[in-house]
Amino acid sequence: MNDTPNNKNGKEEKLVTFRIDGKEVTAPERSFLLKAARANGIDIPTLCYYEHIEPYSVCRMCVVQVTRNGRQRIVTACNFPVQEGIVVETRNEKIIQHRKLLIEMMLARHSEVEVIKKLAKEYGVTKTRFKLQPSEECILCGLCVRVCNDLVQAHALCFAQRGPERYVTTPYDDYADNCIACGACVHVCPTNHMKLEQTDGIEILYPEVTLGPNNPIHIDFMQAVPASPWIDTASCIHFQTDGCGVCSEVCPTDCIHYDMQDTIEEVEVGNIVVASGFKGFDPKQMYQFGYGKLPQVMTSLEFERVSNAGGSTGGRILTPDGRNPESVAILHCIGSRDKHYNEYCSRICCMQSLKFAHLIREKTGAEVYQCYIDMRCFGKGYEEFYNRLLHEDVHFIRGKAVEVTDYSPDGLPPGKVMVRVEDTLLGIVRKIPVDIVILSIGLEPAVGVDVLKQTLRISRSPDGFYLERHPKLAPVSTATDGIYIAGCAQGPKDIPDTVAQANAAAAAVLQVISQGQVTLEPTTAEVMEELCTGCQTCLSVCPYDAIRRDEQKEKAVINDALCKGCGTCVAACPSGAIKQWGFDREQIMAEIDAVLAEVAV
């Protein structure tokens, strides 16, 4: 027996040495044969094993022959602990005959189950000697029940009856109130017998389960900085039932702690770059496109996730029922260039839609229909890419889509929806049956911009994005010194423009830092204490938060470093207690008198 310095928890762990199929291997003491074999690249078939729950050995497919001190035994590898010096054979003639017998028995009851048919083909079993019964999908492996009870701890599944009448069901064959719809039973079912369906009162934690279950631990996107995973507590099983904990169990660095709380850090800075990003337009407002009702309709952001290699389908473009699409429609300007929602152009939709069309053609060969108002392909290489798509058999229809529906008087093939679009070039309304509809949604100001506006004392333009000091001469500066904006905080823009603006904002910050001093406005306001009544009207109207109340004197006080001399407080003060340097009443009247005197001469 060998010693190894540590395991995951830093504790000393003993290793044992033995032989599997003539190969000498080592494994931690008290671990099971099946896990040790897999760790050494030796495959042993099984239908009821899941490494994060206790082995059950009900399918018996993992039988192996173990020889110890000259004694041979047939054991199940999933729950047989490794021992020093044993000899294990996983595929000798006796074992193969044993598995063939098991396969024949399962074929008699589950003849149409793919995983059973695959095993039969692998072991050369073409027929069964047992009485053939109507095929059942559930092989009673019990994985779903054990995962639900032992791992998830929801206790929403159980066995009923005994012997040949045994089946998997919910407690008392009734509606399972304690089911959290986590999808764990669907994930482990070897025959795909378990299905996840939406019912009243149950919110499915993994809505894209038909395209592959999501993971509540994930990195937001591949280019995220820092590229650190985080736990979505709304979909994590542990935070629903206090069960599971698989991630903590397998983490080699023991860095997952469920009791950690969010913390707020306060940092003093001299400059701030606001990069609040954007949020996508919610297409549910445009009910005519069926988003949220028709599963074939998805947004551009959702399609981006589906087509990404790190997404739920591994980059495969599939319909909601798992088929390769034959036709796809991409609808431009959803929520932008529309006087009912957002009149501005979101700038990224055209090129984004062209990229989608290229990916769909390349990956699936499906027919792609682009329904657009007009193509806006500005930028380096964009027009050339548009011309390239024109030669890739993509259908461009100039006109805005009118409706997406699953109804047609002539009927629709299963899984398809109908897109009605006005073709302004031909002067007709076209009806196009497609498998997937992608809504190229517009960009809107991010959630929380109002709060940030009040906190930083910066302004917003009529479209809701933050207002720059000057659109041409100071596009990254705001009216407040030291506050800069970048990316979609200022307005919709693509990645190259966002990067360029972020660089400009960073350079502006560095310029302030390198100067080492701040130039103040010469025409600031001043409070005349003898006239101030302490009404605080000026505090509420100051756009730069430059006025505070002196609690001892009960007077307003202006911070010259923050005041920009806008004069708002001067005009708002009901007692005339605030004056602006260079613009007090006597100076203004003197200027007026001088001007009128020149006219009189």
Side-chain angles (χ1 to χ4, degrees):
M1 187 174 293
N2 301 322
D3 292 341
T4 188
N6 56 51
N7 59 9
K8 170 193 164 185
N9 299 320
K11 298 179 181 179
E12 189 177 89
E13 193 172 52
K14 293 181 179 178
L15 297 178
V16 297
T17 303
F18 57 100
R19 301 183 74 83
I20 301 182
D21 293 343
K23 179 181 179 182
E24 183 174 287
V25 299
T26 58
E29 188 182 28
R30 294 188 296 276
S31 63
F32 295 121
L33 262 179
L34 182 62
K35 188 173 182 179
R38 287 183 172 180
N40 287 278
I42 299 171
D43 180 54
I44 298 176
T46 179
L47 295 170
C48 67
Y49 176 77
Y50 186 60
E51 63 176 327
H52 300 299
I53 55 178
E54 287 295 318
Y56 193 42
S57 70
V58 66
C59 75
R60 313 292 295 178
M61 283 299 296
C62 63
V63 290
V64 295
Q65 178 175 293
V66 174
T67 303
R68 185 185 185 193
N69 298 327
R71 182 189 173 194
Q72 295 180 344
R73 298 172 58 194
I74 301 295
V75 301
T76 48
C78 66
N79 63 349
F80 187 84
V82 297
Q83 299 173 20
E84 183 73 22
I86 61 174
V87 177
V88 183
E89 294 181 67
T90 66
R91 294 186 73 87
N92 64 21
E93 186 60 28
K94 185 186 294 184
I95 295 300
I96 290 176
Q97 290 302 322
H98 192 102
R99 289 176 186 160
K100 282 184 174 181
L101 179 61
L102 291 171
I103 292 171
E104 282 192 58
M105 294 171 67
M106 286 189 283
L107 271 180
R109 192 168 176 177
H110 315 288
S111 57
E112 299 301 323
V113 176
E114 285 299 321
V115 67
I116 304 300
K117 291 164 68 175
K118 185 178 178 181
L119 277 173
K121 183 178 180 181
E122 180 182 349
Y123 282 85
V125 179
T126 57
K127 60 180 181 180
T128 176
R129 291 169 287 179
F130 301 96
K131 183 180 179 181
L132 201 59
Q133 301 177 21
S135 181
E136 300 175 5
E137 279 192 334
C138 180
I139 61 174
L140 298 176
C141 66
L143 270 178
C144 53
V145 177
R146 289 184 293 133
V147 164
C148 185
N149 294 337
D150 300 344
L151 191 63
V152 179
Q153 298 184 13
H155 306 286
L157 292 174
C158 63
F159 283 110
Q161 305 292 354
R162 294 184 177 181
E165 304 300 325
R166 199 179 200 205
Y167 63 97
V168 174
T169 182
T170 54
Y172 304 104
D173 281 338
D174 200 358
Y175 183 81
D177 292 330
N178 46 354
C179 175
I180 62 171
C182 65
C185 53
V186 178
H187 178 67
V188 299
C189 180
T191 65
N192 297 323
H193 173 61
M194 301 296 294
K195 302 289 189 302
L196 200 60
E197 296 180 352
Q198 185 82 39
T199 58
D200 292 340
I202 293 289
E203 182 181 357
I204 297 176
L205 295 185
Y206 308 111
E208 297 177 25
V209 70
T210 53
L211 299 178
N214 290 328
N215 196 328
I217 299 182
H218 57 268
I219 298 173
D220 279 337
F221 53 94
M222 297 305 293
Q223 294 81 22
V225 178
S228 301
W230 63 283
I231 298 177
D232 178 11
T233 56
S235 59
C236 176
I237 294 173
H238 178 81
F239 289 94
Q240 305 296 318
T241 66
D242 202 29
C244 193
V246 171
C247 53
S248 176
E249 179 184 335
V250 301
C251 179
T253 56
D254 194 27
C255 65
I256 297 179
H257 303 278
Y258 301 113
D259 55 350
M260 291 182 67
Q261 300 292 325
D262 294 337
T263 60
I264 297 176
E265 302 286 344
E266 293 187 3
V267 182
E268 289 190 5
V269 297
N271 298 273
I272 297 174
V273 177
V274 180
S276 53
F278 67 92
K279 72 178 177 68
F281 173 77
D282 182 5
K284 288 181 180 176
Q285 306 170 58
M286 307 177 78
Y287 61 89
Q288 65 270 32
F289 297 129
Y291 179 75
K293 298 179 180 177
L294 302 175
Q296 296 90 342
V297 182
M298 64 177 73
T299 67
S300 48
L301 296 178
E302 291 168 343
F303 180 78
E304 183 75 42
R305 186 178 179 185
V306 169
S307 63
N308 191 292
S312 57
T313 61
R316 297 177 61 198
I317 299 173
L318 302 173
T319 61
D321 54 2
R323 295 180 293 109
N324 286 321
E326 297 174 349
S327 53
V328 179
I330 304 175
L331 313 186
H332 293 224
C333 299
I334 304 299
S336 57
R337 302 182 67 189
D338 188 327
K339 65 179 181 181
H340 298 294
Y341 301 99
N342 299 307
E343 291 193 45
Y344 55 83
C345 171
S346 290
R347 301 185 66 185
I348 68 167
C349 305
C350 289
M351 294 312 300
Q352 171 185 258
S353 300
L354 293 179
K355 184 190 77 171
F356 291 164
H358 177 72
L359 286 174
I360 295 168
R361 292 291 299 167
E362 185 179 65
K363 291 186 176 181
T364 68
E367 298 290 332
V368 180
Y369 299 89
Q370 296 265 4
C371 304
Y372 68 99
I373 299 175
D374 55 53
M375 298 302 297
R376 297 186 172 183
C377 304
F378 57 91
K380 186 176 182 180
Y382 289 4
E383 188 68 21
E384 292 88 333
F385 187 67
Y386 171 46
N387 291 329
R388 177 182 170 183
L389 266 291
L390 292 175
H391 295 88
E392 290 188 1
D393 295 331
V394 175
H395 305 283
F396 287 88
I397 302 172
R398 201 189 77 173
K400 205 164 184 179
V402 178
E403 184 185 28
V404 178
T405 177
D406 57 354
Y407 170 76
S408 173
D410 302 326
L412 282 171
K416 286 186 181 292
V417 292
M418 181 75 75
V419 176
R420 292 178 64 229
V421 54
E422 179 188 15
D423 191 329
T424 57
L425 294 180
L426 298 179
I428 61 173
V429 174
R430 301 179 63 173
K431 299 178 181 178
I432 307 169
V434 296
D435 295 298
I436 296 175
V437 176
I438 302 171
L439 304 180
S440 201
I441 57 175
L443 308 186
E444 293 184 333
V447 176
V449 290
D450 272 332
V451 177
L452 206 54
K453 170 195 169 186
Q454 296 296 330
T455 303
L456 300 177
R457 295 286 180 175
I458 55 179
S459 303
R460 296 172 65 185
S461 50
D463 58 12
F465 295 94
Y466 292 124
L467 182 65
E468 68 282 345
R469 176 175 291 179
H470 191 284
K472 296 179 180 177
L473 303 179
V476 300
S477 301
T478 65
T480 303
D481 286 344
I483 307 294
Y484 303 92
I485 51 179
C488 289
Q490 186 244 353
K493 54 179 61 65
D494 59 9
I495 294 175
D497 286 353
T498 298
V499 173
Q501 198 173 32
N503 286 334
V509 171
L510 289 175
Q511 183 181 18
V512 175
I513 294 174
S514 63
Q515 287 177 347
Q517 57 184 8
V518 177
T519 303
L520 301 181
E521 294 288 339
T523 55
T524 59
E526 182 186 19
V527 176
M528 294 177 284
E529 293 187 358
E530 65 276 14
L531 298 178
C532 180
T533 60
C535 65
Q536 304 185 51
T537 302
C538 51
L539 274 69
S540 60
V541 299
C542 178
Y544 304 104
D545 200 22
I547 308 176
R548 65 178 179 82
R549 175 182 165 86
D550 188 324
E551 296 298 338
Q552 292 184 348
K553 297 181 179 178
E554 296 185 348
K555 307 288 184 182
V557 178
I558 295 178
N559 186 334
D560 290 340
L562 298 177
C563 181
K564 300 300 174 189
C566 66
T568 304
C569 56
V570 178
C573 181
S575 56
I578 304 178
K579 68 177 181 179
Q580 190 165 356
W581 289 107
F583 294 95
D584 58 26
R585 184 180 298 274
E586 291 75 12
Q587 290 173 314
I588 292 176
M589 293 305 297
E591 291 178 3
I592 294 174
D593 289 342
V595 171
L596 294 177
E598 291 179 2
V599 172
V601 172

